[in-house]
């Protein structure tokens, strides 16, 4: 049986506990903001900060695809057509994000189909996201504004916003700048 969203959440929590990690700065990019945000609420005083890197944020009781324009109907159909997996995006999907052809080839070449249940299972929040010490890094190339749910979280006083003038894949397009931002957040 393919992994589901709660599998990803539990894997994060288990690894933090297994390694007996403290002062954890948990970073989630894109989809991984969904399980990282849930895990952040479950690791208690081990958490120093959570970083949502141009990611989705979990909403209690809602699946990842619920915020998509069609409520996830196209993704659910694709998952059904592909044996329970969301297929790897074609190279064209990565264009317009400030990436070179070589970077796009590396991303696509290293990608694997995504377990469908991770996108369709509902999130389960142990504590409100707004209570977490968090930073949202918004990559502004092509989509300069945070989503409505993120904008609301940014008004609560515990979250801060950092903008990067790049596309959705800053670990490829601006790795040094991203590393410095993460080091600053970690207080290193």
């Amino acid at each position: 049986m393919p992994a589901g969203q709660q599998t990803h959440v539990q894997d994060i929590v288990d690894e933090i506990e297994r390694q007996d990690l403290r002062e954890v700065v948990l970073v989630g990019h894109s989809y991984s903001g969904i399980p990282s945000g849930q895990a952040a609420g479950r690791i208690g005083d081990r958490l120093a900060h959570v970083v949502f890197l141009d990611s989705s944020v979990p909403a209690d009781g809602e699946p990842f695809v619920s915020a998509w324009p069609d409520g996830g109907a196209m993704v659910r159909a694709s998952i059904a057509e592909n044996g329970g997996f969301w297929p790897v995006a074609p190279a064209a999907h990565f264009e317009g994000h400030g990436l070179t052809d070589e970077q796009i080839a590396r991303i696509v070449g290293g990608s694997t189909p995504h377990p469908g249940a991770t996108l369709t299972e509902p999130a389960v929040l142990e504590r409100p996201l707004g209570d977490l010490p968090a930073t949202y890094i918004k990559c502004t190339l092509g989509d300069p504004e945070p989503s409505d749910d993120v904008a609301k979280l940014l008004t609560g006083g515990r979250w801060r916003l950092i903008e990067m003038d790049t596309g959705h894949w800053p670990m490829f397009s601006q790795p040094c700048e991203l590393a410095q931002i993460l080091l600053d957040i970690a207080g290193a």
Side-chain angles (χ1 to χ4, degrees):
M1 179 176 195
Q5 186 183 117
Q6 294 309 308
T7 306
H8 288 173
V9 174
Q10 196 60 50
D11 285 349
I12 295 167
V13 172
D14 289 349
E15 187 64 11
I16 290 168
E17 291 176 352
R18 185 180 73 75
Q19 297 279 344
D20 194 26
L21 300 176
R22 306 282 174 188
E23 295 297 311
V24 172
V25 176
L26 191 56
V27 180
H29 169 257
S30 198
Y31 155 78
S32 70
I34 300 289
S36 294
Q38 293 170 78
R42 295 181 191 173
I43 62 172
D45 63 0
R46 295 175 184 270
L47 179 73
H49 205 82
V50 61
V51 178
F52 295 92
L53 175 54
D54 210 40
S55 73
S56 298
V57 294
D60 196 40
E62 295 292 329
F64 173 66
V65 296
S66 67
W68 292 31
D70 63 357
M74 288 178 54
V75 171
R76 289 175 197 272
S78 179
I79 291 167
E81 293 167 8
N82 289 282
F85 288 87
W86 191 27
V88 172
H93 173 77
F94 301 95
E95 293 173 0
H97 288 275
L99 301 168
T100 65
D101 290 344
E102 292 80 16
Q103 290 168 331
I104 292 171
R106 182 174 174 204
I107 294 169
V108 173
S111 295
T112 59
H114 199 87
T118 62
L119 307 176
T120 58
E121 278 183 5
V124 179
L125 294 176
E126 299 282 325
R127 62 192 268 206
L129 284 181
D131 291 350
L132 298 173
T135 298
Y136 193 90
I137 300 174
K138 177 66 181 134
C139 298
T140 60
L141 184 62
D143 186 13
E145 298 298 323
S147 61
D148 291 345
D149 53 349
V150 170
K152 183 177 178 186
L153 288 163
L154 288 166
T155 65
R158 301 273 329 232
W159 284 47
R160 70 181 179 130
L161 175 67
I162 295 175
E163 294 180 340
M164 291 187 74
D165 185 20
T166 190
H168 186 62
W169 303 93
M171 63 289 291
F172 289 96
S173 60
Q174 293 186 358
C176 294
E177 295 87 342
L178 176 60
Q180 188 58 59
I181 289 169
L182 295 175
L183 286 169
D184 291 346
I185 290 169

